[in-house]
C-alpha cells in the first residue's frame, strides 16, 4: 500500500538545510523526522557517528598498516581529538570501543553525575540532534551545576571511571570554566562546563528535560527553546553556519510544539530578536510564532479596549463598529462580524484579528509591533 503523504508548499522565505536540497524535499524530510521520538532521533545520530568512526578506522588501517597497535591508536586519537589530544594519551580499548558515540558517552556520564548528586544538562550538538536534524557530532557538551570546591572530588571519580581529566586545578580555581575530559577506552571527549550563576542559567536547569534512550537510560537535555536561543547567541559570536543550520533544524523538527513567546522574550534580552525573526522565516514557522504572539497578546488587547470604553475614548463610525484609537494602534470591534482587530495607524495594517472567544483569525506582527505591545502590557500592569 502506498504511503499517503501531505502535499508540501514551501512558505515564503523558506530555506532548505543544504543548497542542493529542494524546499519540497526538505519539508518532506522534516515531516518524517517529526514522527520520530527524541530517543529515535538520538539513535539516528548515534548510528551516523558510529558509521563515520568505523569508516575512519578502516581508512587509517589501510594507510597506516605498518604501525604497531599502540602507535595506530595514538595516530587515531590525534586525528579525532586534534588539539584536544593529550600529549601522553594512548587509547585503551579496541575497535569495538572506539566506535562509541557521544550519545553513549552522555549515558555514561549521566550515571556518574547522578550518583554524585550533580545536576546537569546536555547541550550543543547532541541536543540539536535530539530535537532537530540528524548529523554527526565530534564531542559532548554538558553543563554542570556544581560548586568549584567539589570539582576535585568529581575529577577523582571520573578518573576511576576511565576518564583522562586534565586541568582540574585550573577549573577549581576559576581560571577555566570548562573541564575537558576524555574517555580513555573510546577516544570520546566531553566538555563539562561549570554553569554561570545567572537567572537565565538557573531557568535552563529548571526547564531541562529527561529523555530515556533506547536502552532505558535517561539523559537530561536543555529544552529545545533554550537550545535555539543559545545557538543563536553562539552563532552570532562565531558567525558559524553550523549553529544556524542547527537552529533551523530544531525549529523545523519541533514545529508547533515550541514556546515561541519564551524564545522571543530571551532573544530580546540578548539582542537576538532580528535573528530569531529571520530563523522563524527560513524555517517556515513564522505563522506559528505569530499566532502564539497573538494568543498571548489577546488579554492585553481586551484590557486596553475595556479601559478605552470605560474612559469614554471609543467612537462609533457606524452602528456595528466600536473604535478605540491610541497613539500607534487602533482597536476595532465589529459587533456584526463578532471580531476584534488590531490595526497599525501608520499604514492602516491589521496585525491581529480575533473572534469573540479569543481565537486567532489572523496574525502578522512586525518585530516593532511585538516590542510595542510588550510596552503596552507593562503599562497596564502598573
Amino acid at each position: 500500500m502506498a504511503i499517503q503523504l501531505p502535499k508540501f508548499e514551501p512558505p515564503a522565505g523558506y530555506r532548505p538545510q543544504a543548497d542542493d536540497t529542494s524546499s519540497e524535499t526538505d519539508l518532506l524530510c522534516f515531516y518524517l523526522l517529526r514522527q520520530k521520538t527524541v530517543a529515535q532521533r538520538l539513535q539516528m545520530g548515534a548510528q551516523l557517528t558510529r558509521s563515520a568512526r568505523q569508516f575512519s578506522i578502516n581508512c587509517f588501517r589501510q594507510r597506516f598498516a605498518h604501525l604497531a597497535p599502540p602507535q595506530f591508536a595514538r595516530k587515531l586519537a590525534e586525528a579525532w581529538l586534534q588539539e584536544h589530544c593529550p600529549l601522553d594519551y594512548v587509547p585503551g580499548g579496541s575497535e569495538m570501543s572506539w566506535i562509541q558515540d557521544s550519545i553513549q558517552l552522555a549515558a555514561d556520564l549521566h550515571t556518574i553525575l547522578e550518583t554524585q548528586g550533580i545536576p546537569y544538562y546536555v547541550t550543543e550538538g547532541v541536543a540539536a540532534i535530539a530535537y532537530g536534524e540528524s548529523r554527526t557530532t565530534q564531542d559532548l557538551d554538558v553543563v554542570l551545576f556544581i560548586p568549584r570546591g567539589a570539582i576535585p572530588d568529581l575529577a577523582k571519580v571520573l578518573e576511576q571511571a576511565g576518564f583522562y581529566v586534565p586541568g582540574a586545578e585550573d577549573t577549581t580555581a576559576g581560571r577555566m570554566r570548562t573541564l575537558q575530559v576524555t574517555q580513555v577506552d573510546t577516544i570520546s571527549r566531553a566538555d563539562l562546563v561549570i554553569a554561570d550563576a545567572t537567572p537565565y542559567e538557573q531557568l535552563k536547569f529548571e526547564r531541562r528535560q529527561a529523555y530515556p534512550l533506547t536502552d532505558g537510560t535517561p539523559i537530561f537535555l536543555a529544552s529545545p527553546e533554550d537550545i535555539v536561543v543559545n545557538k543563536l547567541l553562539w552563532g552570532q559570536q562565531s558567525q558559524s553556519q553550523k549553529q544556524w543550520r542547527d537552529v533551523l533544524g530544531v525549529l523545523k523538527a519541533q514545529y508547533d510544539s515550541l514556546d515561541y513567546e519564551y524564545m522571543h522574550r530571551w532573544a530580546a534580552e540578548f539582542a537576538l530578536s532580528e535573528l530569531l525573526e529571520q530563523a522563524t522565516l527560513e524555517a517556515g514557522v513564522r505563522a506559528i510564532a505569530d499566532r502564539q504572539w497573538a494568543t498571548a497578546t489577546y488579554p492585553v488587547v481586551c484590557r486596553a479596549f475595556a479601559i478605552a470604553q470605560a474612559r469614554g475614548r471609543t467612537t462609533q463610525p457606524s452602528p456595528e463598529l466600536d473604535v478605540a484609537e491610541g497613539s500607534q494602534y487602533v482597536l476595532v470591534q465589529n459587533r456584526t462580524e463578532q471580531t476584534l482587530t488590531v490595526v497599525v495607524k501608520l499604514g492602516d495594517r491589521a496585525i491581529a484579528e480575533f473572534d469573540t472567544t479569543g481565537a486567532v483569525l489572523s496574525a502578522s506582527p512586525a518585530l516593532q509591533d511585538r516590542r510595542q505591545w510588550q510596552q503596552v502590557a507593562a503599562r497596564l500592569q502598573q
Side-chain angles (χ1 to χ4, degrees):
M1 181 182 295
I3 300 175
Q4 296 297 318
L5 295 173
K7 292 187 177 180
F8 300 103
E9 187 68 31
Y14 188 85
R15 176 180 174 179
Q17 297 296 92
D19 292 338
D20 59 353
T21 302
S22 70
S23 295
E24 292 78 5
T25 299
D26 198 77
L27 286 164
L28 171 62
C29 289
F30 278 96
Y31 169 81
L32 297 174
L33 199 56
R34 284 196 291 273
Q35 317 309 312
K36 305 292 185 181
T37 65
V38 165
Q40 288 171 331
R41 284 193 289 267
L42 284 171
Q43 186 62 30
M44 291 166 64
Q47 184 58 53
L48 285 173
T49 299
R50 288 195 296 268
S51 296
R53 282 197 160 208
Q54 184 64 70
F55 182 71
S56 176
I57 291 172
N58 293 343
C59 291
F60 268 68
R61 288 204 184 282
Q62 181 174 341
R63 185 176 180 186
F64 300 107
H66 61 285
L67 293 180
Q71 294 173 313
F72 179 81
R74 173 65 189 180
K75 179 68 72 174
L76 203 62
E78 289 174 342
W80 288 0
L81 301 178
Q82 298 179 27
E83 72 272 16
H84 301 293
C85 185
L87 292 176
D88 56 351
Y89 170 52
V90 176
S94 64
E95 182 174 324
M96 290 300 295
S97 62
W98 294 343
I99 62 172
Q100 179 176 293
D101 54 85
S102 294
I103 289 86
Q104 182 56 50
L105 179 58
D108 295 342
L109 285 171
H110 168 86
T111 301
I112 295 171
L113 296 172
E114 285 288 287
T115 301
Q116 297 300 306
I118 300 172
Y120 80 92
Y121 62 78
V122 174
T123 186
E124 263 286 0
V126 169
I129 292 169
Y131 296 131
E133 181 183 23
S134 295
R135 65 170 176 84
T136 60
T137 183
Q138 187 174 9
D139 49 28
L140 178 71
D141 296 274
V142 183
V143 178
L144 310 182
F145 188 76
I146 180 176
R148 289 193 179 270
I151 291 174
D153 288 339
L154 173 61
K156 290 178 182 178
V157 171
L158 289 168
E159 288 172 347
Q160 292 169 358
F163 286 86
Y164 180 88
V165 189
E169 298 83 0
D170 288 334
T171 309
T172 302
R175 292 186 292 272
M176 293 180 60
R177 188 188 168 200
T178 301
L179 194 63
Q180 298 177 337
V181 303
T182 303
Q183 197 171 36
V184 175
D185 285 350
T186 65
I187 323 181
S188 297
R189 65 179 301 272
D191 285 341
L192 307 183
V193 183
I194 311 305
D196 290 326
T198 64
Y200 181 52
E201 191 61 68
Q202 181 179 349
L203 186 59
K204 284 192 287 185
F205 271 95
E206 293 172 2
R207 288 170 51 82
R208 65 181 181 151
Q209 300 172 12
Y211 292 98
L213 302 178
T214 52
D215 65 356
T217 303
I219 61 171
F220 284 100
L221 301 175
S223 76
E225 293 86 356
D226 290 316
I227 290 299
V228 169
V229 173
N230 278 283
K231 281 190 166 289
L232 286 175
L233 186 60
W234 296 328
Q236 185 186 55
Q237 295 169 350
S238 65
Q239 298 297 307
S240 168
Q241 283 302 306
K242 183 182 75 173
Q243 303 290 358
W244 187 254
R245 178 167 177 159
D246 279 346
V247 167
L248 297 186
V250 173
L251 294 176
K252 291 174 182 178
Q254 297 301 306
Y255 205 59
D256 58 358
S257 67
L258 292 169
D259 186 340
Y260 290 90
E261 284 302 284
Y262 173 87
M263 290 188 288
H264 269 287
R265 176 161 67 90
W266 284 104
E269 288 285 329
F270 299 123
L272 300 169
S273 296
E274 288 82 2
L275 284 175
L276 180 57
E277 283 277 277
Q278 184 65 26
T280 60
L281 179 68
E282 294 188 10
V285 296
R286 174 68 66 81
I288 298 171
D290 288 349
R291 293 181 74 84
Q292 282 195 17
W293 170 83
T295 298
T297 306
Y298 177 69
V300 182
V301 174
C302 289
R303 175 70 173 149
F305 190 82
I307 290 174
Q309 283 184 314
R311 294 177 178 177
R313 296 179 180 175
T314 58
T315 60
Q316 287 187 306
S318 62
E320 73 277 7
L321 296 180
D322 291 307
V323 177
E325 186 171 334
S327 60
Q328 294 174 303
Y329 296 92
V330 178
L331 308 181
V332 182
Q333 180 176 269
N334 188 315
R335 290 189 297 275
T336 301
E337 297 180 359
Q338 295 188 320
T339 59
L340 179 60
T341 306
V342 182
V343 179
V344 181
K345 289 182 70 173
L346 184 62
D348 195 31
R349 178 174 59 88
I351 62 170
E353 185 175 34
F354 310 91
D355 68 13
T356 54
T357 69
V360 179
L361 302 177
S362 65
S364 56
L367 187 56
Q368 182 65 19
D369 300 320
R370 289 178 173 273
R371 292 168 175 163
Q372 292 291 345
W373 279 95
Q374 284 178 346
Q375 295 173 10
V376 172
R379 288 198 299 269
L380 293 180
Q381 290 176 352
Q382 293 176 354

